[in-house]
Amino acid sequence: MARRGTLLVAMIGLAISVAACGRASQAEIEQALGITPTATASAAEIAGATEAAVRATMAAETAVAAAVASGGGRQVALGDVTRGSRQFLTQCSGCHRVGGAGPDLLSPGSAGAAVNTETLMPLLREGIGHPVPPGPYPAPLLSDGAIADLAAYIASEAGG
Ligand code: HEC
């Protein structure tokens, strides 16, 4: 009984103090409860942040596309080295081996180091800078993908 009496006194005291102070503001209530109010982002702020995120993603994609286009260090990811090695063995190594009719393309630091998909495409497809025969290679004989694979393989061997 004594405890219930104490509680009653406390509640009455609280009621009096609330009445005395009037209505507590939202800030006062939050302060009393230990809640730090968080700033609510406006719709415009959310839209702005979303647009910035989309722009950042697009910029990153553009950077990757540029790296792919330049071929700088990306040809291994573009072409498949294993497929390229098989292609090279059947189509190129007859001439492009040490002591062959064509320059060695596979030794580290050889002419192969400068090879990437962009340089290899006109060379093989149109025969620009390549002896005829064997070039030019038409698409049914050597697809764009196969040329990318060859570039990946040659560059990985020669250290391009
Ligand atoms: C019949 C022989 C022969 C075959 C087959 C051949 N090439 Fe060549 N290739 C040559 C010769 C010869 C040259 C040198 C041309 C020159 O310097 O004028 C050359 C040059 C090149 C070059 C330029 C090298 C440099 O010095 O910059 C590349 C790259 C190349 N060949 C890639 C290939 C690839 C890839 C294949 C296979 C799809 C291939 N070649 C098949 C004979 C051949």
Side-chain angles (χ1 to χ4, degrees):
M1 265 309 173
R3 266 189 69 195
R4 190 171 280 187
T6 311
L7 189 66
L8 190 69
V9 169
M11 282 175 75
I12 292 166
L14 186 69
I16 291 166
S17 67
V18 167
C21 298
R23 248 186 115 233
S25 71
Q26 181 74 19
E28 283 168 338
I29 292 168
E30 284 175 348
Q31 205 172 20
L33 294 172
I35 298 168
T36 312
T38 51
T40 311
S42 70
E45 282 169 336
I46 292 167
T50 307
E51 198 187 317
V54 169
R55 282 227 182 108
T57 308
M58 281 167 69
E61 281 170 1
T62 307
V64 169
V68 168
S70 72
R74 298 281 309 175
Q75 60 271 59
V76 174
L78 278 176
D80 185 286
V81 172
T82 309
R83 279 200 308 256
S85 80
R86 273 190 244 117
Q87 282 276 1
F88 193 88
L89 207 64
T90 55
Q91 308 241 36
C92 320
S93 64
C95 294
H96 292 288
R97 57 186 158 77
V98 179
D104 166 34
L105 298 176
L106 301 183
S107 301
S110 68
V115 168
N116 59 49
T117 307
E118 289 224 307
T119 62
L120 201 55
M121 197 64 78
L123 189 129
L124 294 182
R125 183 71 77 232
E126 290 147 47
I128 298 168
H130 206 245
V132 183
Y137 292 82
L141 195 63
L142 212 57
S143 69
D144 286 4
I147 292 176
D149 293 343
L150 279 167
Y153 172 65
I154 293 167
S156 77
E157 289 290 311

